[in-house]
Amino acid sequence: MRLANVRVDGVDRVAVERDGGAVREAVARDPRFAEARAGLAAAQATLATFRARGRAATSLFGEAEAEADRALALKPGLAYAEMAKGIAALGARQDPAEADRHFNAALERRPGDPAVRLWHARALMTFGRFQEAVEASRETLLLDPLSGLAHAQLGLALWGLGFRADADTALKRATDLDPRY
């Protein structure tokens, strides 16, 4: 499935939007296509995080969770569905325990997926768990060394720990890879 290969970490939002349409079509053709539903949920949660505000974000997070629930009903434990629920717990409710539960479930199924690892790192940092966020960001970079977002995430987590020089290096690398950071 195409969306599984799209970076749903906010780096390529245009691709997420474009491929989200393809995934919606796949779901319309086969409502029992759990992986497509999970990909759609992840795309919706990502868009809610990076592109929407206020009621639009609330609505997208709700749609993402509903789609993730449908995917999980069809195929329990589906990693991208768990990731989408983790993103919603992070963005819509700021619930660290719920976000952790969903991201850990996603990591159990797809430990080598950089998008899942990066979202988990983002959650750890959001909740002030900077050392764990540094470790998770570094694990992400082992999987995807050219991810500008992973370098930015690492830099922010290092900054949170007070390692300013290391943070500056990581943030410079992020902007070298993608000027949007």
Side-chain angles (χ1 to χ4, degrees):
M1 175 176 62
R2 173 77 174 114
L3 190 63
N5 296 322
V6 170
R7 295 170 70 129
V8 290
D9 61 6
V11 171
D12 193 348
R13 289 172 237 163
V14 172
V16 171
E17 290 170 338
R18 179 191 65 233
D19 293 339
V23 175
R24 279 187 191 87
E25 185 178 323
V27 169
R29 288 183 183 191
D30 182 0
R32 298 197 49 80
F33 189 0
E35 290 82 356
R37 288 187 176 282
L40 181 56
Q44 289 169 319
T46 298
L47 291 173
T49 300
F50 291 107
R51 294 293 284 276
R53 299 289 176 260
R55 282 187 224 158
T58 301
S59 176
L60 271 172
F61 280 127
E63 290 172 31
E65 285 193 282
E67 202 62 63
D69 287 339
R70 287 189 281 275
L72 290 168
L74 293 166
K75 193 170 188 177
L78 202 54
Y80 270 39
E82 292 287 357
M83 182 179 79
K85 289 185 71 74
I87 296 168
L90 175 65
R93 291 182 294 288
Q94 293 287 301
D95 185 330
E98 183 185 357
D100 243 4
R101 186 174 67 253
H102 290 297
F103 287 123
N104 285 326
L107 285 168
E108 283 179 28
R109 296 277 197 258
R110 293 186 66 123
D113 189 306
V116 174
R117 289 215 167 267
L118 186 59
W119 273 109
H120 185 233
R122 182 181 177 90
L124 293 168
M125 195 190 75
T126 299
F127 299 124
R129 294 163 56 186
F130 298 114
Q131 184 59 50
E132 290 172 89
V134 166
E135 292 164 15
S137 296
R138 287 184 172 144
E139 290 170 1
T140 302
L141 287 166
L142 289 174
L143 299 166
D144 186 359
L146 298 179
S147 169
L149 190 55
H151 284 281
Q153 186 69 49
L154 174 62
L156 293 173
L158 287 165
W159 188 270
L161 288 172
F163 297 114
R164 304 297 193 245
D166 291 337
D168 287 344
T169 300
L171 292 168
K172 170 129 178 41
R173 179 71 174 135
T175 57
D176 288 347
L177 289 166
D178 188 335
R180 292 177 289 182
Y181 300 113

